[in-house]
Amino acid sequence: MESPIGPTTDQAPANPAATDDMLVTQPVGYWSGLTHTTVTRHLRDAMAEIDVTQPQYWVLNRVNGDPTAPSREEAVTQLTHLADGPHEIARAVDQLLHREWLRIDDGQRLHLTDAGEAARARIRELVTGVRAVVHQGISDEEYVAALKVLRKMVANVEHKNF
């Protein structure tokens, strides 16, 4: 049967040792999942060495990155889709308040403290170094091309009903 988009390529089982000429048959779900797991683990391990978590960094950036300080609920709502569980962002906010990296004003808005801004800057430096390791040997053009392909794959299946 001919595909509406042209000839199809048979799908082979995931094979970490696949040669370049075999990659066209490899499942994107396997490779994108392996990439996510491996890169996230590497980043989180590096962050653990300075006693911070990725969700804490997300919260620090969210509080820093908006001209209007978010409430606790707004930060949780805006970041939960990134987290591994529904309570992870609320927990990160509590941890940051306990560390006094965040404070809550009279209007119940979150703000970075000086210590919080210093921590955010240190974490950003670490994350920049991790990004350099991940991107080693990959040009900006290759990186953009890879993300465009992944974005197109998401768009291709996002609204399909099978």
Side-chain angles (χ1 to χ4, degrees):
M1 180 172 155
E2 179 79 12
S3 166
I5 58 171
T8 60
T9 301
D10 286 340
Q11 179 93 15
N15 179 0
T19 60
D20 286 358
D21 62 323
M22 296 169 54
L23 287 177
V24 72
T25 67
Q26 290 292 287
V28 70
Y30 168 78
W31 287 100
S32 61
L34 181 62
T35 302
H36 171 77
T37 299
T38 304
V39 171
T40 300
R41 182 182 317 118
H42 179 73
L43 175 63
R44 289 179 177 181
D45 287 349
M47 289 179 150
E49 290 181 15
I50 62 169
D51 194 29
V52 295
T53 67
Q54 190 177 28
Q56 289 171 346
Y57 184 51
W58 294 334
V59 171
L60 292 171
N61 278 332
R62 172 61 189 89
V63 171
N64 179 67
D66 195 327
T68 306
S71 68
R72 174 193 176 83
E73 293 74 26
E74 289 168 341
V76 168
T77 298
Q78 293 166 358
L79 296 172
T80 293
H81 73 281
L82 299 172
D84 291 338
H87 307 291
E88 194 167 19
I89 302 301
R91 189 177 306 121
V93 170
D94 290 341
Q95 292 162 340
L96 295 170
L97 288 166
H98 179 76
R99 283 186 172 188
E100 297 182 353
W101 289 0
L102 288 181
R103 66 176 178 80
I104 298 177
D105 68 18
D106 292 339
Q108 299 302 300
R109 298 289 181 179
L110 297 170
H111 299 275
L112 290 178
T113 64
D114 290 343
E117 175 51 32
R120 191 191 66 76
R122 280 192 315 273
I123 301 164
R124 182 173 187 82
E125 186 175 314
L126 174 96
V127 169
T128 299
V130 168
R131 185 181 192 281
V133 169
V134 171
H135 287 242
Q136 188 173 4
I138 301 167
S139 70
D140 288 347
E141 293 79 16
E142 290 171 311
Y143 180 74
V144 168
L147 294 187
K148 287 173 82 172
V149 166
L150 291 172
R151 186 168 58 188
K152 178 66 175 164
M153 288 179 174
V154 169
N156 285 345
V157 299
E158 205 164 44
H159 300 291
K160 299 288 181 189
N161 294 320
F162 292 98

